[in-house]
Amino acid sequence: MSEKGELDLTGVKQNTGMWLVKVPKYLSQQWSKASGRGEVGKLRIAKNQGRTEVSFTLNEELASISDIGGKPAAVSAPREHPFLLQNVGGQTLTVFTESSTDKLSLEGIVVQRAECRPAASENYMKLKRFQIEESSKPVRLSQQLDKAVTTNYKPVANHQYNIEYEKKKKEDGKRARADKQQVLDMLFSAFEKHQYYNIKDLVDITKQPVIYLKEILREIGIYNVKGTHKNTWELKPEYRHYQVEDKSD
C-alpha cells in the first residue's frame, strides 16, 4: 500500500478495462434520489448483426420530476437511454480513485467511450421545455422588516414601464412580446418541420420582436456563421429529434 499522497499501483497488471460514459445532467440528478445502495436502473448490452448495442433503462420510481418548489411536475424523466459508442481515439485514459486518507489508486484503463442519450420522444421534448421554463423562474426570497413600510406613493399619469413598453412596440413594428413558453412552443413546432431557418422567417412565424426572439433562440439554438446553411438557426443537439447512430468498430 502507498503512504499518504502517493500512488497505489496494486493490481495495475490486471489491466482492468473501463468505460467512460457521459450522461445527461437530469439523469445524474435522478440517480442522486436513489436510497442507499438502491438500484438506479438496468444496463443492456447486446449484439445486432455484429454490432454492439448498449442501452440503459432508468428505474420507474426514479422517473418522477419535481418543479423548483419541490412539487411533482406534469412531466417525467425519459426511461430509455441508448448509448452512442465512440472510439478512445488513440488516447490513453486512466481512472483513479482517492480515499479519505488522500491515497490515490489506479482502477483501470478506459477502453471504451460512450454517450448515454435519451431516446427521441415527445416526453423528452416536454422535459426540455419544462427545464427551460423552470430556469427562467425567479428565485423567491423572504426578508423580515424591522419596521412597517410607511412610504407614500403618489399616483402618476403614466408609469415609466408603460411608456417604455409603448415605445418598444413602435420600434418593433407594433409587435408585443408573447409569453416565453408560447414562443418556445412555436419555435419547437417550426423546427419539427424544418431543420434550418433564417431569422426573418422565424419572426414571421412567431410575430415576435427580433431582439426578444434572438434572446430565446440563444438558449435553444445554434447560429450557423459559415457552411452550406450560413446565416440560419437550428436547434441545439439536445433539443433535436435525432436518430442515434452506432459509431463503434
Side-chain angles (χ1 to χ4, degrees):
M1 298 294 292
S2 65
E3 298 295 331
K4 184 176 180 180
E6 296 181 355
L7 176 63
D8 183 4
L9 297 178
T10 304
V12 68
K13 292 184 179 180
Q14 295 177 3
N15 195 25
T16 305
M18 308 190 76
W19 284 34
L20 179 63
V21 182
K22 179 181 179 182
V23 301
K25 183 179 180 180
Y26 74 84
L27 191 56
S28 63
Q29 291 173 336
Q30 296 306 107
W31 285 349
S32 66
K33 297 178 182 179
S35 58
R37 293 182 174 271
E39 186 181 277
V40 297
K42 296 185 182 296
L43 189 67
R44 178 179 178 272
I45 303 177
K47 286 285 186 179
N48 183 11
Q49 298 180 349
R51 288 188 172 186
T52 302
E53 292 185 347
V54 184
S55 62
F56 171 77
T57 303
L58 180 68
N59 267 8
E60 186 174 0
E61 58 267 26
L62 294 179
S64 60
I65 299 289
S66 301
D67 62 17
I68 195 171
K71 297 180 180 179
V75 297
S76 59
R79 296 189 60 205
E80 300 301 324
H81 297 79
F83 278 32
L84 176 63
L85 301 181
Q86 302 170 342
N87 295 325
V88 178
Q91 294 178 302
T92 301
L93 303 174
T94 53
V95 178
F96 296 90
T97 56
E98 184 178 4
S99 69
S100 57
T101 56
D102 296 328
K103 292 180 180 179
L104 290 177
S105 299
L106 177 61
E107 297 295 331
I109 299 174
V110 176
V111 296
Q112 179 71 61
R113 296 178 63 183
E115 185 173 350
C116 178
R117 292 181 168 182
S121 66
E122 181 61 25
N123 181 55
Y124 175 63
M125 296 302 294
K126 288 181 179 179
L127 173 63
K128 298 307 295 184
R129 296 178 191 181
F130 170 77
Q131 289 175 329
I132 293 174
E133 184 178 3
E134 287 295 291
S135 65
S136 64
K137 289 182 179 179
V139 178
R140 297 180 180 179
L141 299 176
S142 60
Q143 183 177 359
Q144 183 175 354
L145 300 177
D146 297 330
K147 57 182 179 179
V149 178
T150 58
T151 306
N152 294 322
Y153 295 95
K154 296 180 180 180
V156 294
N158 198 359
H159 290 281
Q160 184 64 28
Y161 171 81
N162 293 332
I163 297 174
E164 293 177 354
Y165 177 74
E166 292 299 325
K167 181 180 178 182
K168 188 64 178 175
K169 281 179 62 177
K170 294 180 181 179
E171 292 176 352
D172 290 325
K174 297 183 180 180
R175 289 193 178 98
R177 294 188 177 192
D179 178 74
K180 183 178 180 180
Q181 188 59 46
Q182 293 178 355
V183 180
L184 285 170
D185 289 339
M186 288 187 284
L187 290 174
F188 280 124
S189 177
F191 280 110
E192 286 177 359
K193 299 175 183 176
H194 300 286
Q195 183 174 356
Y196 303 97
Y197 285 93
N198 59 43
I199 190 64
K200 181 179 181 299
D201 290 336
L202 291 176
V203 169
D204 291 339
I205 292 172
T206 62
K207 309 299 182 186
Q208 295 301 299
V210 175
I211 296 177
Y212 178 52
L213 185 59
K214 285 184 176 180
E215 289 177 359
I216 298 177
L217 281 169
R218 291 189 189 101
E219 294 184 20
I220 65 170
I222 298 172
Y223 184 69
N224 297 300
V225 296
K226 59 182 178 180
T228 307
H229 302 286
K230 183 179 180 181
N231 299 330
T232 63
W233 287 88
E234 65 176 314
L235 289 179
K236 292 180 179 178
E238 59 264 35
Y239 299 116
R240 302 174 192 163
H241 282 280
Y242 49 75
Q243 296 295 326
V244 176
E245 297 180 358
D246 192 340
K247 295 186 179 180
S248 60
D249 289 340

